[in-house]
Amino acid sequence: MVETQEKVTRALLVSVDTGRFDAESSMDELWELVKSAGAEPELTVIQKLDRPETASFVGSGKLLEIKEICESREIDLIVCDSELSPTQLRTLERECDTRVIDRTTLILDIFALRARSKEGKLQVELAQLKHLLPRLTGKGVELSRLGGGIGTRGPGETKLETDRRHIYRRMETLKEQLKEVENHRTRLRQRREKDGVITVAIVGYTNAGKSTLMNYLTDAGVLAQDKLFATLDPTSRALKLPSGVTVMLIDTVGLVRRLPHGLVEAFKSTLEEAAMSDIILNVCDASSPEADTHMQVTVDLLTELGCSDTPIITVFNKCDRLSPLEIAPDSERRVHISAKSGEGVDRLLDEIDRNLPVKIKRVKLLLPFNMGGEANKIREKATLLSENYTADGIEIEAIIDADMYRRLEEFVQE
């Protein structure tokens, strides 16, 4: 039996450099995104313009060059490093006779490929439908707009409107399902707050090593690969710190520069895990020449989510790839580690300990028997670790807040 080998999609990457961002770096990232999607990037084309051409994205001369490249190198897919309008999409496909997608569609495709949880799949599908809706007019004759001549009335518009109604209905269904999932997440968060659980969120640029760090600290078994968006769904695991306090470590979705706004909106509930956490670990690939840019992208999003008052520890990962001279000394809320080898992780745990909320304390108490009411309050409002009845009173080990500590300080055992 002869095995048929699946044809690899050959992609041409196209960008218009308007000077508003670093086009070269953005194209390098797009190259990695295309590889993560399973295609093979062949060549990049960058044109300097004040703004993209309204009708064709690139100029007429560059469009002819792209068409020739597609024919000579048997290109299957053109990927543009900007969001395309329906007109630009249609013009490029018609002139080059090649399928065309934009940066947003590519990222959505990768997200759809990586999503595993119910929430992740719902979020991705909703973002895809929102992105598709205004582009229905560019999907071919059967979905074309109502024209101004014979043969263009009726069926085309009916098909388009049918598709639109179907998408609107599906979007409403997805929103309702997502609301149920978000309510469940909110209840879990409220339970954690009631139990006094401290949450530490891992955020950062995609492929910075967040999942590797999660696995090293908690044996979470999260997929960790050297590719963009290798993992998408958030993971939560318990982590015991050197002080003895146990925190909930939460891994969140990776970020990229110019992350489509629709995706930020779709994953708002997931990203809120970072916004509502007690401490944030901003993980950055220290070996990347774009490390400062990647770190700033994360900081900007955290600011947008309202995390400016939350302690943020900057974690420079992959330091095993650097020489000792390239590694700056650790300082307050800045730690250099290698999640792969474990180097520097002890310093990171100490830094998390130092930034724990003041309201939380782990204590051993010996309460008189006539203070059973206080013992009951600890059971209800604090995190009870152990409880024993002795001849001298009730021995309790618990994690309590500052108010409770002040009230029971005289009963604390050293």
Side-chain angles (χ1 to χ4, degrees):
M1 183 177 177
V2 179
E3 292 185 3
T4 56
Q5 191 172 5
E6 189 176 343
K7 185 179 182 295
V8 177
T9 301
R10 299 161 66 90
L12 172 66
L13 282 50
V14 180
S15 173
V16 171
D17 183 4
T18 59
R20 287 186 295 177
F21 56 87
D22 188 338
E24 292 284 351
S25 297
S26 187
M27 284 294 269
D28 289 342
E29 184 172 275
L30 188 68
W31 186 283
E32 293 301 321
L33 285 169
V34 169
K35 288 171 66 177
S36 288
E40 188 61 43
E42 291 287 321
L43 197 67
T44 61
V45 175
I46 300 178
Q47 182 178 26
K48 286 186 177 290
L49 292 173
D50 292 335
R51 60 182 178 82
E53 291 291 336
T54 305
S56 57
F57 186 60
V58 295
S60 56
K62 189 62 70 174
L63 183 59
L64 185 61
E65 179 186 330
I66 292 171
K67 181 180 179 180
E68 291 172 352
I69 292 173
C70 289
E71 291 174 352
S72 63
R73 302 190 66 148
E74 298 181 351
I75 297 296
D76 306 299
L77 178 68
I78 296 173
V79 185
C80 295
D81 193 30
S82 295
E83 194 163 301
L84 299 176
S85 69
T87 302
Q88 291 169 335
L89 185 69
R90 190 165 57 247
T91 301
L92 284 168
E93 286 190 336
R94 184 183 65 243
E95 295 297 325
C96 301
D97 193 25
T98 306
R99 192 161 63 93
V100 180
I101 63 171
D102 57 18
R103 181 187 177 90
T104 301
T105 304
L106 176 65
I107 293 175
L108 285 169
D109 184 76
I110 296 171
F111 272 45
L113 191 66
R114 303 281 190 262
R116 292 291 179 268
S117 69
K118 178 182 177 183
E119 183 180 16
K121 291 175 180 178
L122 291 174
Q123 288 168 327
V124 171
E125 186 180 351
L126 181 60
Q128 284 178 316
L129 291 176
K130 284 182 177 179
H131 185 65
L132 172 65
L133 195 57
R135 289 163 179 79
L136 283 178
T137 54
K139 290 297 177 185
V141 177
E142 76 281 2
L143 294 178
S144 62
R145 288 181 297 183
L146 180 61
I150 297 171
T152 62
R153 301 181 182 89
E157 181 69 6
T158 302
K159 179 76 169 89
L160 177 59
E161 290 305 315
T162 300
D163 287 334
R164 279 180 175 161
R165 281 197 298 274
H166 172 72
I167 288 177
Y168 279 126
R169 282 198 301 269
R170 180 60 182 160
M171 285 171 64
E172 288 304 313
T173 302
L174 290 171
K175 287 176 182 177
E176 289 174 7
Q177 293 177 349
L178 269 174
K179 193 170 183 179
E180 292 176 10
V181 177
E182 288 168 11
N183 288 338
H184 176 66
R185 185 186 291 279
T186 301
R187 288 193 295 271
L188 287 176
R189 190 184 298 132
Q190 290 171 344
R191 178 61 186 269
R192 288 201 300 261
E193 290 174 358
K194 180 183 176 183
D195 292 344
V197 176
I198 304 169
T199 54
V200 179
I202 304 177
V203 301
Y205 217 72
T206 183
N207 204 30
K210 298 187 301 300
S211 297
T212 303
L213 178 60
M214 183 82 172
N215 288 338
Y216 186 89
L217 292 174
T218 66
D219 294 323
V222 179
L223 175 68
Q225 294 181 348
D226 187 17
K227 60 171 65 172
L228 304 188
F229 299 120
T231 50
L232 178 61
D233 300 314
T235 306
S236 303
R237 292 290 187 275
L239 170 66
K240 191 170 184 177
L241 297 173
S243 64
V245 175
T246 299
V247 300
M248 185 66 71
L249 193 64
I250 302 172
D251 188 14
T252 59
V253 63
L255 307 174
V256 292
R257 76 189 84 199
R258 294 159 55 218
L259 188 67
H261 183 71
L263 274 180
V264 175
E265 287 299 313
F267 282 83
K268 205 82 167 181
S269 63
T270 306
L271 294 169
E272 279 176 357
E273 289 290 354
M276 303 296 289
S277 63
D278 296 292
I279 299 172
I280 294 172
L281 305 183
N282 180 2
V283 181
C284 176
D285 180 358
S287 66
S288 171
E290 297 288 311
D292 291 339
T293 303
H294 294 177
M295 193 164 51
Q296 193 58 46
V297 167
T298 309
V299 170
D300 290 344
L301 180 61
L302 291 174
T303 302
E304 184 183 334
L305 291 170
C307 304
S308 52
D309 295 331
T310 305
I312 300 176
I313 301 173
T314 304
V315 183
F316 292 96
N317 189 27
K318 304 186 183 181
C319 287
D320 52 314
R321 299 182 180 180
L322 303 176
S323 69
L325 294 176
E326 293 177 293
I327 302 176
D330 290 343
S331 57
E332 187 177 357
R333 295 187 183 176
R334 288 173 67 94
V335 182
H336 296 75
I337 70 164
S338 168
K340 188 176 180 180
S341 67
E343 182 185 351
V345 171
D346 289 343
R347 291 193 297 276
L348 171 61
L349 294 176
D350 289 339
E351 194 63 29
I352 295 174
D353 256 331
R354 276 194 289 274
N355 285 277
L356 288 176
V358 178
K359 60 184 180 182
I360 300 295
K361 285 183 178 292
R362 179 170 177 156
V363 295
K364 289 182 179 180
L365 302 166
L366 180 61
L367 299 178
F369 290 113
N370 62 0
M371 295 188 66
E374 289 294 340
N376 195 46
K377 288 179 182 178
I378 292 174
R379 296 185 199 105
E380 290 179 353
K381 298 182 179 180
T383 302
L384 182 65
L385 301 176
S386 67
E387 181 178 5
N388 292 304
Y389 285 80
T390 69
D392 299 322
I394 309 170
E395 284 185 351
I396 289 178
E397 185 174 2
I399 297 174
I400 61 177
D401 61 27
D403 290 337
M404 190 174 287
Y405 180 82
R406 281 192 294 271
R407 196 166 66 246
L408 302 175
E409 190 172 3
E410 63 180 293
F411 304 105
V412 173
Q413 303 294 295
E414 294 299 332

